[in-house]
Amino acid sequence: MTSLGLLLLLHFLLILQVHFSSQLEDNKIPASLCTGHPGIPGSPGVHGSPGQPGRDGRDGRDAAPGEKGQKGDRGDPGETGVRGLTGDKGDPGERGDRGQPGECAVAPKSAFSAKLSQTLSSSLTVGDTVRFDTIMLNEQGDYNTETGRFTCKVPGVYYFAVHATVYRASLQFDLMKNGHTVASYFQFYGNWPKPASLSGGSLLHLIPGDQVWVQIALAEYNGFYSSTKTDSTFTGFLVYSDWKNSAVFA
């Protein structure tokens, strides 16, 4: 080998030494030069700190409308609220149309008059109701000839009058209201050749259902008399009514 060849060989070896020495620094050994066994797995690392919140995502697309649901059950009634304050008075309304003419008011009526027949005038005794059995006026039907009693239908004040022809015996009779004597009348008969007379009357306040009649007070004083020329009568009529809607109510 020549000197020149030897010199070149030394120069090449020097370059290789420098190159490998720089790789061995800091334990930087190429894997191709030293291959060892796998090491033991290391211990888990410490959890990292929470990351920053991510950005809001984009809005999704609108979905198709869903089907209508079934009607729910009715809820329980709520508690009654506090009563509100009274509102302001409203404005007066417009005047209405004139109404149709009404019917004329009709005053209530009640009146009767009856007389005693000849066949009943001689058979009366104490406590008997005098049945004035011949009607002269009784349009409302308030007097009953079968019982001899007047029955009130219209409340108010009534006037009752009794005119008696007295003959063959003295006479005492009572004006009765619901079983109580309200007035008594007496006429003595002294065997006169002609009949005498006895009259009396009273104002009574009645309500519907009240009854008024004439009654013999004493058995021996029953001298009611009636003939073709003279009569004994019982009369009654309404003076004024207590009905608030009566045309004659004062």
Side-chain angles (χ1 to χ4, degrees):
M1 177 178 294
T2 63
S3 304
L4 181 59
L6 181 60
L7 181 62
L8 290 174
L9 178 62
L10 292 174
H11 179 72
F12 177 72
L13 291 175
L14 179 62
I15 292 173
L16 287 178
Q17 184 181 2
V18 171
H19 175 71
F20 283 114
S21 63
S22 60
Q23 288 185 353
L24 291 175
E25 291 179 359
D26 298 327
N27 294 325
K28 293 181 181 180
I29 302 173
S32 59
L33 297 181
C34 55
T35 302
H37 295 287
I40 299 173
S43 59
V46 180
H47 290 291
S49 59
Q52 296 181 355
R55 297 180 180 180
D56 294 337
R58 297 175 61 186
D59 294 336
R61 296 181 180 179
D62 293 336
E67 296 182 358
K68 185 176 181 179
Q70 297 181 354
K71 185 176 181 179
D73 297 332
R74 184 170 183 174
D76 296 331
E79 297 182 357
T80 303
V82 180
R83 184 171 182 174
L85 300 176
T86 303
D88 297 334
K89 186 175 181 179
D91 297 330
E94 297 181 358
R95 185 173 181 176
D97 298 333
R98 186 185 182 100
Q100 297 294 328
E103 297 181 358
C104 294
V106 178
K109 300 176 181 179
S110 181
F112 77 96
S113 186
K115 64 181 180 179
L116 191 66
S117 66
Q118 297 180 42
T119 57
L120 294 179
S121 60
S122 60
S123 60
L124 298 171
T125 186
V126 61
D128 285 348
T129 298
V130 182
R131 292 191 300 110
F132 297 85
D133 57 332
T134 303
I135 293 294
M136 294 183 287
L137 176 69
N138 191 28
E139 293 181 352
Q140 291 76 38
D142 295 341
Y143 177 75
N144 189 332
T145 57
E146 296 296 325
T147 62
R149 299 189 179 194
F150 169 84
T151 302
C152 173
K153 296 178 182 176
V154 179
V157 173
Y158 290 77
Y159 180 74
F160 294 93
V162 181
H163 172 78
T165 297
V166 182
Y167 190 53
R168 297 195 184 105
S170 297
L171 176 62
Q172 183 171 352
F173 65 84
D174 298 330
L175 184 64
M176 307 293 293
K177 173 187 173 183
N178 298 335
H180 301 282
T181 301
V182 293
S184 295
Y185 305 93
F186 174 76
Q187 172 64 52
F188 176 77
Y189 179 72
N191 294 320
W192 303 309
K194 294 182 179 181
S197 64
L198 172 61
S199 298
S202 294
L203 282 168
L204 299 178
H205 184 272
L206 304 179
I207 61 175
D210 284 347
Q211 291 187 330
V212 178
W213 67 92
V214 177
Q215 182 173 296
I216 296 296
L218 293 174
E220 62 273 21
Y221 294 163
N222 62 348
F224 269 107
Y225 180 75
S226 182
S227 69
T228 56
K229 295 184 178 180
T230 184
D231 291 302
S232 295
T233 62
F234 181 30
T235 299
F237 56 87
L238 176 66
V239 179
Y240 62 86
S241 169
D242 283 345
W243 277 341
K244 297 299 182 182
N245 59 351
S246 170
V248 295
F249 181 81

